[in-house]
Amino acid sequence: MNKRRNLVALLFLTPNIFGFLLFTFLPVIAALALSTFRWDIFHPPRFVGLRNFTDILGWFRAEDGALRLNDPNFWKYLYNTLFLMMGIPIHMALSLFLAIVLNQKIRGRVFFRTIFFLPNICAGVGLLLLWTYLYDPDFGLINRVLAVIGVEGPRWLTNYHRAKPAIITMSLWTTMGGLGMIIYLAGLSGIPQELYEAAEIDGAGLWAQFRHVTWPMLAPTTFFIFVTSVIAGFQGGFDAAYVMTQGGPDGATTTVSYYIYNHAFQYFNMGKAAAIAVVLFIIVFGVTLMN
């Protein structure tokens, strides 16, 4: 009976296992192998060993005796990626706030849950084009509203120092009512109501109930959301850079994923693109283990 049950389970799992092997595992192995070659698509691959990795992570001594990075752009774009990830704690806090509010017995809460989740089921490119219009310095809605109150709006996406905060603000709007909110709602529904009743009997107010009941009980949920958000953060940023800024101004919004795309499909340097992807994989894997 157990063998039959296991066989049935395996049959249901087979499509997912096959998809994982075909679209995830094998491409990762292929990228790892390709990272040891120089290949521009038009000529046969040439084996170079670890040369691609030294071109990314290594350094050399210049004529003036100073040490210089072989690829300073990689470190710059890694910094951009980490900077954009500063929005993760904010979006988690907003998701938790929305989940707590929408977990209350209020009229129309299903409607409001749907409204807040709506940006996550809309076409990503469409939302990016919408925000590109909103950030337009001359015709955008944001600068027009600022003009009404007598404030001259900046050039959001073409200013080196404002482009990254603008991208973070947009990502907060699209993610605060997304999967994080849904997972927090699931976590809140799993907290026994008796704990709140006991806390209320002991005289605990709303803040004390949140601090001593809600937050500790949501610790595993928060940890899960944080880890998955960090992984997505390291891999993210491509869509916004490609559609809204093309990585500019002066590389201010270029992330590691967009850098991989440029090397692969703009410069046709497939070997180095694969090597950057492997380095990114190692970084994400290491951060996940530390978490």
Side-chain angles (χ1 to χ4, degrees):
M1 194 65 176
N2 288 334
K3 290 182 179 179
R4 183 177 179 181
R5 184 181 299 125
N6 292 336
L7 179 61
V8 172
L10 182 61
L11 289 175
F12 278 101
L13 290 172
T14 298
N16 186 61
I17 295 174
F18 179 77
F20 172 78
L21 291 175
L22 183 62
F23 298 110
T24 302
F25 182 75
L26 291 180
V28 168
I29 299 300
L32 181 60
L34 185 59
S35 65
T36 60
F37 288 84
R38 288 284 174 86
W39 184 40
D40 62 359
I41 298 180
F42 306 106
H43 301 88
R46 180 168 56 90
F47 181 77
V48 293
L50 299 178
R51 181 64 181 274
N52 288 324
F53 294 96
T54 58
D55 288 345
I56 299 168
L57 305 175
W59 58 85
F60 66 96
R61 189 173 297 277
E63 296 180 356
D64 58 0
L67 291 177
R68 304 290 174 81
L69 295 170
N70 288 340
D71 189 359
N73 284 332
F74 171 77
W75 300 101
K76 175 181 177 181
Y77 301 149
L78 180 60
Y79 164 77
N80 290 344
T81 304
L82 294 173
F83 189 98
L84 294 176
M85 289 168 60
M86 291 173 59
I88 290 176
I90 304 174
H91 106 74
M92 290 179 62
L94 293 174
S95 297
L96 177 58
F97 173 77
L98 287 177
I100 292 175
V101 172
L102 296 178
N103 194 50
Q104 307 301 314
K105 294 180 179 180
I106 57 177
R107 181 179 299 178
R109 65 176 181 173
V110 174
F111 170 77
F112 287 111
R113 288 178 181 181
T114 304
I115 291 298
F116 281 110
F117 190 72
L118 193 60
N120 292 268
I121 61 176
C122 295
V125 174
L127 291 178
L128 294 174
L129 292 175
L130 170 65
W131 276 90
T132 302
Y133 163 74
L134 292 176
Y135 280 137
D136 187 276
D138 300 317
F139 308 104
L141 181 62
I142 296 176
N143 279 6
R144 287 194 174 189
V145 172
L146 292 176
V148 171
I149 60 176
V151 177
E152 182 180 357
R155 294 187 171 273
W156 297 99
L157 299 179
T158 57
N159 183 284
Y160 185 86
H161 299 289
R162 291 188 173 91
K164 283 194 285 288
I167 298 296
I168 292 176
T169 302
M170 178 203 66
S171 67
L172 292 176
W173 181 83
T174 57
T175 58
M176 67 179 183
L179 292 177
M181 182 191 73
I182 298 298
I183 296 173
Y184 269 130
L185 281 170
L188 289 170
S189 66
I191 301 177
Q193 192 63 31
E194 293 81 2
L195 296 179
Y196 292 106
E197 295 173 355
E200 190 174 354
I201 292 174
D202 289 339
L206 293 177
W207 172 248
Q209 291 181 29
F210 171 80
R211 181 181 176 186
H212 298 290
V213 178
T214 305
W215 183 246
M217 294 296 292
L218 287 178
T221 305
T222 301
F223 179 71
F224 173 79
I225 295 175
F226 176 74
V227 172
T228 54
S229 297
V230 168
I231 295 174
F234 274 111
Q235 299 173 341
F238 171 80
D239 295 346
Y242 184 83
V243 176
M244 300 179 68
T245 63
Q246 291 75 53
D250 193 24
T253 58
T254 298
T255 60
V256 176
S257 60
Y258 190 63
Y259 193 43
I260 294 172
Y261 166 82
N262 283 336
H263 270 288
F265 302 108
Q266 298 293 327
Y267 315 140
F268 298 106
N269 192 345
M270 291 292 179
K272 188 172 181 178
I276 299 172
V278 171
V279 172
L280 180 62
F281 170 81
I282 294 173
I283 293 173
V284 173
F285 186 70
V287 171
T288 305
L289 284 181
M290 287 189 292
N291 286 330

